[in-house]
Amino acid sequence: MTYRTSHGASHRHAVDGAAAGMATGARAIDPTIWRVLGTPLIAATHPGPLSGMGVAVKDLYAVAGQRVGAGNPAYLAESPVQEHSAPAVQRLLDAGADVIGIARTDEFAYSLAGANAHYGTPPNPRAPRRVPGGSSSGPASAVASTQATIGLGTDTAGSIRIPSAYQGLWGLRTTHGRISREGVHPLSGSFDTVGWMTRDAQTMDAVTQAMLPDRDSATLSGEVAVCVLPSQMVDADVAEAFGRSCDLMRSATLESGRARPDTWDELTLDADMFDGFLDIFSVVRGYEAWRANGGWVRGHFDAIAPDIAQRFRNDAQIGETAYRRGLERLEQSRAMVRSLVGDRVLLMPTAATVAPTLTEQDDPDTAARTRKQTMRLTSLAGIGGLPALTMPIATAQGLPCGVCLIGPAGSDKALVAFGKELRRRLSA
């Protein structure tokens, strides 16, 4: 299906990012970051709270006058030109932001590393010679390198949160279903969410207010639970950075007189719970990924990177009975996670490791282990369908990582405000 162009959208000169070495204005295009770049690509509908901000849109969203490439050149070649932008894109335009370009994604958004076998790996400006994180890798790199103010992405199993942690950004995965996914190429309807990345808390708050004009359906009690995880789930340098940051945030909050000591607590979680979440993910997301993409993929396996193709081959073997049982387990686990969170904020490391080096990512065993280790952490918000805000921190060695704030369903704006206040108190 294509979508009609909304009134007021203005199309400007656009340059295909595949033409390496070309430039728009004085800025050379990095084709690992951008598929299409404009001046802007689509201008804001009218002035608004996001005026002057440029958006890098993940190549899963319908953008008026452009094709959806989903990170694959063969798919791009067969994709129809979109007649109007996805509602999430349009909401940014209506708030005064300009779409400056379409940014790269991992192939079919089916990875967490950020690498793309067809277009290359976008750079990680905050950690050179390390992966950028995926699948919203292009928008994240565009924001981290200051080529865009806002990165519009999606998050299924961590695709906003991981690149944000790896590149020192703020990133929000919204409550599942709160923002329309119309005009967004799907991976798994049970988990796909709209989200965005910024370089600072102030911009994150402004974008969140514009993207979510309705009131939150849930409030925060002010209580915080710091998740205590088994040591094997998080690398030592990340665990140390997370613990140190939580201690500082707790001290700053208590010293402000705005909270009582009993509002900060610890929550011990075991590895078996996370392993169960991963099992649900593998069945439900896998079945839905094949249902959404299998019609095209089965005739184009030779046009897909081997690791992505293998995931689809595995997905094709998941039967209806297993999927229905997976949905039952998802419903039960979602209720359990939401009860666990309640009306408080959970703090946990965003990713289990810092960004792997490019060499580490080239080793299949290391890459698979890192992917599984990180997905165990990101699965909690995914299974719960909960909003998750990543706040940038750093290890003792100066490498980016993140603290993830998870709140009750529908508390997105309050969660961002809470994170913004935590950062302000830390900086005071």
Side-chain angles (χ1 to χ4, degrees):
M1 179 183 293
T2 57
Y3 301 87
R4 298 189 180 280
T5 306
S6 60
H7 295 295
S10 174
H11 298 270
R12 305 293 180 86
H13 177 66
V15 181
D16 189 336
M22 295 182 67
T24 180
R27 181 174 55 190
I29 293 175
D30 183 342
T32 67
I33 297 177
W34 299 103
R35 181 169 71 76
V36 180
L37 190 64
T39 56
L41 193 63
I42 305 181
T45 309
H46 46 68
L50 304 184
S51 289
M53 299 186 187
V55 184
V57 177
K58 186 177 185 176
D59 194 12
L60 295 182
Y61 285 85
V63 174
Q66 304 295 326
R67 303 173 188 272
V68 174
N72 181 280
Y75 186 86
L76 173 66
E78 299 177 16
S79 181
V81 173
Q82 300 298 309
E83 295 183 15
H84 88 84
S85 299
V89 175
Q90 191 61 48
R91 189 167 289 183
L92 289 169
L93 293 168
D94 291 344
D98 297 322
V99 171
I100 58 175
I102 298 174
R104 300 296 187 189
T105 176
D106 290 6
E107 206 167 356
F108 295 100
Y110 218 167
S111 178
L112 289 177
N116 187 300
H118 308 285
Y119 304 115
T121 302
N124 183 336
R126 287 291 310 278
R129 296 179 296 281
R130 293 177 180 267
V131 301
S135 62
S136 303
S137 51
S141 293
V143 173
S145 62
T146 72
Q147 296 180 53
T149 306
I150 305 163
L152 180 65
T154 61
D155 189 306
T156 302
S159 293
I160 286 284
R161 292 166 283 166
I162 301 309
S164 296
Y166 285 179
Q167 298 195 51
L169 301 174
W170 289 78
L172 178 67
R173 167 206 162 88
T174 58
T175 298
H176 183 258
R178 183 162 183 179
I179 296 181
S180 170
R181 299 190 305 275
E182 180 186 1
V184 183
H185 185 85
L187 180 63
S188 172
S190 292
F191 302 111
D192 292 349
T193 56
V194 172
W196 45 88
M197 298 162 284
T198 66
R199 288 186 296 276
D200 58 77
Q202 187 69 32
T203 305
M204 171 56 69
D205 189 40
V207 176
T208 302
Q209 294 294 330
M211 289 293 282
L212 299 171
D214 57 317
R215 295 180 62 180
D216 279 350
S217 61
T219 58
L220 300 177
S221 65
E223 296 183 5
V224 178
V226 179
C227 294
V228 179
L229 303 170
S231 59
Q232 73 270 20
M233 286 187 62
V234 183
D235 281 6
D237 55 347
V238 173
E240 188 279 330
F242 172 74
R244 172 168 35 86
S245 297
C246 288
D247 287 345
L248 290 172
M249 287 188 287
R250 181 179 185 276
S251 297
T253 301
L254 296 180
E255 288 172 5
S256 71
R258 296 285 295 275
R260 305 184 312 274
D262 61 355
T263 60
W264 280 69
D265 200 358
E266 290 186 346
L267 177 65
T268 301
L269 301 175
D270 64 82
D272 289 343
M273 180 185 74
F274 290 95
D275 288 338
F277 291 165
L278 278 187
D279 186 53
I280 294 171
F281 252 107
S282 67
V283 173
V284 175
R285 187 189 60 174
Y287 183 93
E288 292 179 348
W290 182 254
R291 184 172 61 188
N293 297 283
W296 187 87
V297 167
R298 66 166 49 93
H300 297 80
F301 272 113
D302 59 348
I304 303 173
D307 59 330
I308 306 298
Q310 187 57 52
R311 284 176 198 149
F312 279 121
R313 287 191 177 95
N314 295 339
D315 295 343
Q317 304 305 311
I318 300 172
E320 179 78 14
T321 300
Y323 173 59
R324 293 301 171 192
R325 176 55 184 151
L327 287 178
E328 292 174 3
R329 294 178 62 199
L330 173 59
E331 183 179 0
Q332 295 164 0
S333 295
R334 182 158 290 184
M336 182 270 287
V337 169
R338 292 188 176 194
S339 176
L340 183 72
V341 174
D343 59 2
R344 58 187 172 175
V345 174
L346 264 58
L347 302 183
M348 62 189 306
T350 303
T353 72
V354 296
T357 65
L358 296 174
T359 301
E360 289 169 338
Q361 186 60 34
D362 285 340
D363 178 68
D365 292 338
T366 301
R369 184 168 58 253
T370 301
R371 173 182 169 81
K372 180 177 180 179
Q373 192 177 5
T374 290
M375 281 187 62
R376 292 168 100 189
L377 297 183
T378 60
S379 67
L380 191 143
I383 290 292
L386 301 178
L389 174 72
T390 295
M391 175 191 300
I393 58 173
T395 67
Q397 295 73 35
L399 289 173
C401 55
V403 172
C404 189
L405 290 71
I406 300 173
S411 67
D412 308 61
K413 292 197 287 188
L415 190 65
V416 169
F418 188 86
K420 180 182 173 184
E421 178 64 14
L422 280 181
R423 177 50 56 92
R424 187 186 73 80
R425 295 198 179 282
L426 279 176
S427 302

